[in-house]
Amino acid sequence: MRRLLILFGIALTLSAQYQNSFKITWIEPGSNVILPEFDAFDNSNGTLGVLNASGPVNTEGHPFFTALGSNKRACVNCHQPTYGMSVSAASLLDRWRATDGKDPVFAAFDGSNCPSLPQDKESSHSLLLKRGLYRIPLPWPPRKADGSPKKVEFTIEVVRDPTGCNTSREYGLQSAQPTVSVYRRPRPAANLKYVLSGGQPIVLKTGLLADVDPETGKPVSMNLMTDAREATLKTQAISAVLGHEQARVVPTPQQIDRIVQYESQVYVAQMAHIFGGPLAVPGGPAGLGVAALRDHPAGVLGDNESDPVFGLFTAWKGNDYYRSSVARGADLFMNRQFWIRDTAHINSIGLGNPLKRTCATCHNAQMTGQDLSAGWVDVGTTNFPTWTEPNTWAESSELPVFKITCSRDADPHPYLGRIIYTTDPGRALISGRCVDVGSIVMQQLRGLSGRAPYFANGSAKTLREVVDFYDRRFDMKLSDEEKEDLINFLGAL
Amino acid sequence: MIRRAGCAGLVCGFLAAVLAPGQPLAGQRNFVSCPIVRDTKTVPCFLAEYEGELYFLGIQQDITSDFHPPQLKHQVLVEGRVVEGPRICGGIPLRPVSISVLKEVNLACNTLLPAEPGIEAPPASRGAGPSSRRLETVSAPREPLSGRQEFTVLYSFNDDYLEYAGNRTVTEATAYAKRIGASSVKVSGYRATTLLSSGDRLVEKAGLAEKRAQNIATILRGLGVAGVTLDWKSEPEPGDGQTDPSRRRVTVVVTP
């Protein structure tokens, strides 16, 4: 107890170092501020750092911070430095209360459960306010680069529609422009050199050609977005301006360049723990903090003993309570074995089912813990029986439920067959393939403390719920101490 | 039509059994069954039972390994040769052995046995944790290729998924064709027959030869290889019960 109090005292002084009492925590579009090279923001776990590696950023007129479309929104609405270049559900609820629901972040188009709902009601924005989820409308069937429809291997029916959007005559699957609405968390627009690295000409998981950068023709990592639908930051930014910002004209090349430049130099990581003090300290674990993210090479496989995913934590072994817990958590992430079972695109790509391995098998790329190969995996977050939602599709769920029926001549989903109930078909909405149903591209694991809830569908409210999910899903039999260590470790990233 | 006991439900939709029995093959074991996973102190062993006997197929390895383990929730087609010597993980070892995971889900395939004292997996180049070596192992320099070259991509039964090894082969063929500015790159697809130890024949599904060839041609063209032509043989290759896995293939002939 005494030890904890002393630690608490140290923590307060350290976090005071990063404090700035006039800090803007929510940047509004069109604001005129200078973002410093390094800034720090408190969260319930401690302090998150944001590094602008190419120096201070003036938001005035900057296309990332300026509304470019018709709904007064800018990128920054959903990608706020304070919240790890994503946005937390809690901050959205604060925002709702502060603006009486008028903030452009709640725009009907995708900031509500469905544009057809009465927009002044809180319940019409429940997915955003409770889970931090935006509506992602995707055309069905998916289209090829030339705009023609792709050949698909399955049909989609809507079996539950709590938001009304998938059955809506105007917005749904039967509308003039057939659309599937899924609901997803904003992925962090930071540390992106890691997200973009690792592209191979032939995707290991599918044995098919990777998407290419339309400008260079080079294969891309296929780790952008929940379903890898965007090839590059440029194509992503254009879609975001036309979609989230509801612009009627394509942004200019200069605007796109500035957006991409800004995103490409911003790094986000937790910097201090509320009791444990600063994380990026000389002689400490080399992978923590924003400078490490800036300086480390991207595209390096970390699923090995000598040079692990988030670096070595040996310096903190047997150190104080918090630090040794983080070090044990890092060790568990790399080394704690369990049976990885029935995960499409891991067990099914030649590794065998089950596979006795660790977290780092899937989260294998250095510094961000994404998959160095194209990262879509069905880990059990969206397909029924899901491990995050009520267990059967017939129980009430806040999310839509789709029934996928795959054609006889298509390869079935390797563990669920040809009839699949899902809240988000994930990659399959883009590829049209049955094997991809429910495969979600894993996110980077940085800045987690600033941007709860977790998973693409916001189903894990806390890091504890993430760890509990894995404990259930893979029957890991984690002890309470192991859970706490994993949570402390993830929270320090 | 479907005669094999244990070949249940959906799986058999694909398996065309032909009435004429083949020759029994000494030392060769070709059969379809549920895999059995045996945990050990280190990596799991993969086994399968046939006619009351337990066979050892291999251990969990890396994606780069030659042996790709079977999967629970799926039947496996095993095509292997019995090797003399002690049992491994309780099973008679088969080597070489070809493993084909059958595509349809089969929930009956669900046996995961716990580790037991005295049952040990052979030494693994990679344990069940992170790799102890860097993956970028430098492969021994090879004689640079020259002249007409034939590259062969092998497939699992009834499958057009390009496995790790095939991925490497296609990458090599691409590099070679581009380096020499090949005048012609001919892709040929095949499907094949497996002669089972029971005498039944399993024939790969119609259309697979074309699908395999199309996939490879698409990749080669997409990677910038010029002069790609393709054909495929619709008729299945015959099965002899010994070399059948080598005929589930696509060949890529690169001519200077």
Side-chain angles (χ1 to χ4, degrees):
Chain A
M1 193 61 209
R2 234 186 87 203
R3 184 150 155 240
L4 263 185
L5 283 178
I6 296 168
L7 284 172
F8 188 59
I10 298 173
L12 283 183
T13 8
L14 287 163
S15 108
Q17 278 178 6
Y18 294 126
Q19 291 283 350
N20 160 359
S21 41
F22 303 107
K23 192 180 306 290
I24 302 165
T25 54
W26 183 276
I27 301 176
E28 301 204 35
S31 59
N32 175 3
V33 291
I34 309 273
L35 304 176
E37 182 171 345
F38 176 76
D39 213 345
F41 304 92
D42 283 355
N43 51 48
S44 58
N45 257 342
T47 310
L48 181 94
V50 179
L51 176 72
N52 287 303
S54 47
V57 176
N58 184 350
T59 65
E60 189 183 1
H62 191 299
F64 192 91
F65 302 90
T66 305
L68 303 177
S70 61
N71 60 12
K72 305 202 175 77
R73 270 205 192 135
C75 311
V76 72
N77 272 108
C78 309
H79 300 283
Q80 295 271 354
T82 313
Y83 306 106
M85 294 305 284
S86 169
V87 65
S88 70
S91 68
L92 288 162
L93 193 56
D94 287 348
R95 207 60 204 156
W96 177 271
R97 294 188 176 139
T99 66
D100 200 18
K102 300 289 186 298
D103 193 290
V105 79
F106 303 112
F109 171 68
D110 59 357
S112 76
N113 296 354
C114 192
S116 56
L117 298 170
Q119 292 298 309
D120 51 342
K121 280 196 172 161
E122 202 172 313
S123 62
S124 302
H125 305 266
S126 61
L127 288 177
L128 188 53
L129 296 173
K130 282 197 210 162
R131 294 187 179 221
L133 302 179
Y134 289 89
R135 186 176 73 98
I136 310 289
L138 295 167
W140 186 257
R143 302 194 192 117
K144 295 188 196 152
D146 65 7
S148 63
K150 251 190 207 169
K151 200 172 158 277
V152 294
E153 297 178 346
F154 56 87
T155 58
I156 303 187
E157 289 161 73
V158 182
V159 296
R160 289 188 66 85
D161 194 24
T163 67
C165 229
N166 282 295
T167 48
S168 152
R169 278 165 185 265
E170 202 177 338
Y171 301 100
L173 256 174
Q174 309 298 336
S175 65
Q177 288 172 332
T179 300
V180 175
S181 289
V182 287
Y183 297 83
R184 295 176 180 165
R185 296 278 297 129
R187 297 160 70 93
N191 309 330
L192 289 170
K193 74 175 179 192
Y194 298 98
V195 179
L196 299 173
S197 68
Q200 292 291 326
I202 308 172
V203 177
L204 189 70
K205 291 187 173 146
T206 58
L208 303 172
L209 279 176
D211 288 351
V212 296
D213 179 334
E215 280 179 21
T216 65
K218 293 229 167 74
V220 297
S221 73
M222 303 197 78
N223 271 321
L224 263 189
M225 316 305 270
T226 294
D227 46 24
R229 68 184 179 281
E230 296 293 350
T232 65
L233 292 181
K234 280 193 181 183
T235 69
Q236 192 282 332
I238 294 169
S239 304
V241 172
L242 295 175
H244 298 304
E245 299 190 33
Q246 291 180 280
R248 292 182 193 98
V249 289
V250 176
T252 66
Q254 291 81 352
Q255 287 172 325
I256 293 302
D257 281 349
R258 280 189 79 193
I259 289 176
V260 172
Q261 254 169 33
Y262 166 71
E263 289 177 311
S264 306
Q265 57 85 55
V266 63
Y267 294 94
V268 163
Q270 192 75 349
M271 295 303 286
H273 180 258
I274 187 153
F275 301 133
L279 300 169
V281 287
L288 297 182
V290 283
L293 278 157
R294 174 195 59 202
D295 298 339
H296 202 81
V300 185
L301 191 70
D303 187 15
N304 59 70
E305 287 164 1
S306 51
D307 202 2
V309 175
F310 296 102
L312 294 166
F313 284 70
T314 25
W316 280 7
K317 278 196 180 146
N319 205 302
D320 66 32
Y321 181 84
Y322 170 75
R323 289 179 170 186
S324 45
S325 172
V326 170
R328 284 192 304 270
D331 201 41
L332 291 167
F333 186 86
M334 290 303 301
N335 296 309
R336 172 64 154 81
Q337 294 168 13
F338 54 94
W339 292 111
I340 300 173
R341 277 188 90 151
D342 302 346
T343 64
H345 297 306
I346 291 290
N347 296 105
S348 60
I349 59 170
L351 289 166
N353 187 31
L355 174 68
K356 190 175 160 188
R357 283 280 193 87
T358 73
C359 305
T361 291
C362 296
H363 298 286
N364 58 43
Q366 282 186 3
M367 300 306 277
T368 56
Q370 290 181 279
D371 193 339
L372 210 52
S373 158
W376 55 85
V377 173
D378 170 12
V379 73
T381 47
T382 73
N383 289 342
F384 288 88
T386 83
W387 301 78
T388 65
E389 304 298 315
N391 253 330
T392 71
W393 63 267
E395 287 174 63
S396 81
S397 156
E398 294 168 333
L399 299 171
V401 178
F402 306 96
K403 180 184 180 186
I404 307 286
T405 307
C406 302
S407 74
R408 292 263 349 138
D409 52 350
D411 285 349
H413 181 289
Y415 309 107
L416 299 170
R418 291 202 164 74
I419 295 190
I420 306 158
Y421 292 88
T422 185
T423 57
D424 185 344
R427 175 66 189 161
L429 286 174
I430 308 306
S431 70
R433 301 179 76 210
C434 184
V435 293
D436 291 336
V437 174
S439 276
I440 302 292
V441 175
M442 60 192 81
Q443 312 82 348
Q444 55 169 302
L445 304 186
R446 299 309 296 244
L448 290 163
S449 289
R451 54 179 179 86
Y454 308 103
F455 294 133
N457 61 9
S459 54
K461 289 189 198 65
T462 58
L463 290 173
R464 172 165 296 273
E465 288 193 13
V466 170
V467 171
D468 283 343
F469 161 85
Y470 283 107
D471 194 37
R472 282 194 306 280
R473 170 68 179 88
F474 295 125
D475 194 18
M476 288 178 72
K477 300 190 170 65
L478 289 167
S479 69
D480 287 347
E481 196 201 26
E482 285 180 317
K483 285 188 185 178
E484 187 191 344
D485 293 342
L486 272 172
I487 293 163
N488 280 333
F489 164 67
L490 292 169
L493 298 174
Chain B
M1 195 63 229
I2 293 155
R3 308 181 317 158
R4 261 187 33 75
C7 166
L10 291 169
V11 170
C12 286
F14 283 135
L15 311 185
V18 170
L19 292 172
Q23 303 295 313
L25 305 149
Q28 185 77 24
R29 297 289 180 275
N30 302 342
F31 60 93
V32 173
S33 76
C34 282
I36 295 169
V37 185
R38 160 72 77 183
D39 194 12
T40 73
K41 280 196 302 254
T42 60
V43 291
C45 294
F46 289 84
L47 305 148
E49 231 173 52
Y50 177 62
E51 293 194 327
E53 188 51 88
L54 190 63
Y55 293 94
F56 168 78
L57 309 178
I59 55 171
Q60 171 184 307
Q61 281 293 331
D62 221 325
I63 192 85
T64 56
S65 149
D66 292 339
F67 175 74
H68 289 177
Q71 298 185 39
L72 293 186
K73 292 206 177 162
H74 291 270
Q75 288 191 311
V76 58
L77 166 64
V78 176
E79 296 160 276
R81 183 156 310 163
V82 171
V83 288
E84 297 305 317
R87 285 176 176 259
I88 305 178
C89 266
I92 298 173
L94 298 177
R95 214 173 304 124
V97 64
S98 159
I99 296 298
S100 297
V101 176
L102 302 188
K103 292 277 176 188
E104 300 301 317
V105 175
N106 187 325
L107 298 178
C109 298
N110 200 26
T111 308
L112 171 53
L113 305 171
E116 257 177 42
I119 300 188
E120 279 178 26
S125 65
R126 170 169 181 160
S131 168
S132 53
R133 63 193 161 101
R134 298 297 203 100
L135 199 68
E136 317 87 273
T137 42
V138 191
S139 45
R142 286 199 295 159
E143 286 283 299
L145 299 176
S146 62
R148 178 185 178 280
Q149 289 290 336
E150 179 167 325
F151 299 85
T152 304
V153 176
L154 298 178
Y155 293 87
S156 288
F157 184 86
N158 252 344
D159 205 346
D160 59 26
Y161 171 58
L162 191 60
E163 291 171 5
Y164 184 82
N167 192 324
R168 295 284 289 265
T169 306
V170 175
T171 305
E172 246 173 68
T174 302
Y176 182 59
K178 283 165 106 171
R179 177 162 66 77
I180 63 166
S183 67
S184 117
V185 176
K186 182 153 182 234
V187 176
S188 308
Y190 303 86
R191 65 179 174 127
T193 304
T194 286
L195 176 57
L196 293 174
S197 297
S198 66
D200 289 344
R201 282 166 207 275
L202 300 181
V203 181
E204 290 191 296
K205 61 189 169 189
L208 193 59
E210 174 179 0
K211 183 99 189 288
R212 285 174 175 163
Q214 294 280 14
N215 282 357
I216 299 298
T218 303
I219 293 175
L220 292 169
R221 288 177 181 141
L223 297 181
V225 175
V228 176
T229 57
L230 74 160
D231 62 10
W232 55 88
K233 192 173 154 199
S234 302
E235 281 309 297
E237 301 274 272
D240 63 10
Q242 311 255 11
T243 56
D244 302 339
S246 67
R247 282 184 294 275
R248 300 191 289 259
R249 72 199 192 279
V250 164
T251 58
V252 180
V253 178
V254 181
T255 313

